[in-house]
Amino acid sequence: MRRNIQLLGILAALLPLLAACYDESTADAQIEGAGQGKGGAMALEKTLFGAGCFWGVEETFARTPGVKSTAVGYAGGTTDHPTYRDVCSGSTGHAEVCEVEFDPAEISYEQLLEVFWEMHDPTQLNRQGPDVGTQYRSVIFYHSAEQAAAARASMERLAGRLPLGRPLATQLEPAPAFWRAEEYHQRYIAKRGGGFSCH
């Protein structure tokens, strides 16, 4: 009995020390996990790309490993809540764009830029193939200073490889409001199937 009482006294003396150690380790874990999502994973990032008809842009990015979600819509114009008809009129100034949400632990922003360059002709001004108009312009809308710097460096590298007389037409701008397009435009090519493509 006396031994049990002594053990209880020792435990009572150690409890504050154990609690302090626990608090310090918890604080350390919170600091190490700052900027990360659940399970210690890096937080997802978003970016916006315009490269002609948004159906093909979305389909290409949706199939890219590391991309977690995509949505097509409109950005860079002068009106709120534009419709497809509004944008196609050319009067709103919006571009057809694809919002890309990606995991930077699986694919870097620089790798996404390479996919962007390969999917369209960035020397065509306000058009891609048969699609003509400012809504089909080549544009990168960045969400952070890091994205802006990476996009600018990527543009400079590409411009240095282009033939003479073919300047880069791609615009680089901070991300404006993104207006999600009508639901029938979302994953349009995947819904149609059969190898349909607009790019």
Side-chain angles (χ1 to χ4, degrees), residues 114-185:
E114 288 304 314
V115 174
F116 169 74
W117 297 128
E118 290 171 8
M119 76 170 63
H120 76 302
D121 182 351
T123 66
Q124 292 190 342
L125 180 63
N126 296 331
R127 70 175 300 164
Q128 281 301 304
D131 296 322
V132 180
T134 56
Q135 69 269 32
Y136 299 114
R137 65 187 180 271
S138 176
V139 60
I140 301 168
F141 290 116
Y142 57 85
H143 280 75
S144 67
E146 292 77 16
Q147 286 187 2
R152 196 170 289 110
S154 182
M155 291 172 74
E156 289 170 1
R157 286 193 299 272
L158 180 62
R161 298 194 307 260
L162 292 174
L164 290 175
R166 295 195 67 188
L168 200 60
T170 304
Q171 299 170 346
L172 178 62
E173 302 174 16
F178 169 71
W179 305 103
R180 187 180 170 93
E182 297 83 347
E183 196 55 39
Y184 71 90
H185 288 297

Side-chain angles (χ1 to χ4, degrees), residues 1-10:
M1 182 78 168
R2 185 179 297 168
R3 189 173 178 184
N4 287 343
I5 292 171
Q6 287 174 338
L7 283 173
L8 286 174
I10 292 170

Side-chain angles (χ1 to χ4, degrees), residues 5-148:
I5 292 171
Q6 287 174 338
L7 283 173
L8 286 174
I10 292 170
L11 285 173
L14 288 175
L15 277 176
L17 292 173
L18 291 171
C21 290
Y22 176 79
D23 288 343
E24 286 177 11
S25 64
T26 302
D28 289 343
Q30 288 172 344
I31 291 168
E32 289 174 7
Q36 298 180 340
K38 293 179 181 177
M42 291 294 292
L44 298 181
E45 292 184 28
K46 286 185 179 180
T47 190
L48 281 174
F49 292 112
C53 171
F54 54 16
W55 296 339
V57 177
E58 180 180 38
E59 189 61 19
T60 301
F61 279 119
R63 294 180 178 206
T64 302
V67 170
K68 299 305 178 183
S69 69
T70 57
V72 295
Y74 318 109
T78 56
T79 60
D80 292 348
H81 307 287
T83 65
Y84 185 64
R85 181 174 290 183
D86 295 334
V87 173
C88 285
S89 74
S91 63
T92 70
H94 289 89
E96 289 192 11
V97 295
C98 179
E99 182 181 67
V100 178
E101 187 174 46
F102 64 100
D103 185 344
E106 296 180 33
I107 186 169
S108 68
Y109 182 66
E110 288 80 1
Q111 288 172 309
L112 288 176
L113 287 167
E114 288 304 314
V115 174
F116 169 74
W117 297 128
E118 290 171 8
M119 76 170 63
H120 76 302
D121 182 351
T123 66
Q124 292 190 342
L125 180 63
N126 296 331
R127 70 175 300 164
Q128 281 301 304
D131 296 322
V132 180
T134 56
Q135 69 269 32
Y136 299 114
R137 65 187 180 271
S138 176
V139 60
I140 301 168
F141 290 116
Y142 57 85
H143 280 75
S144 67
E146 292 77 16
Q147 286 187 2

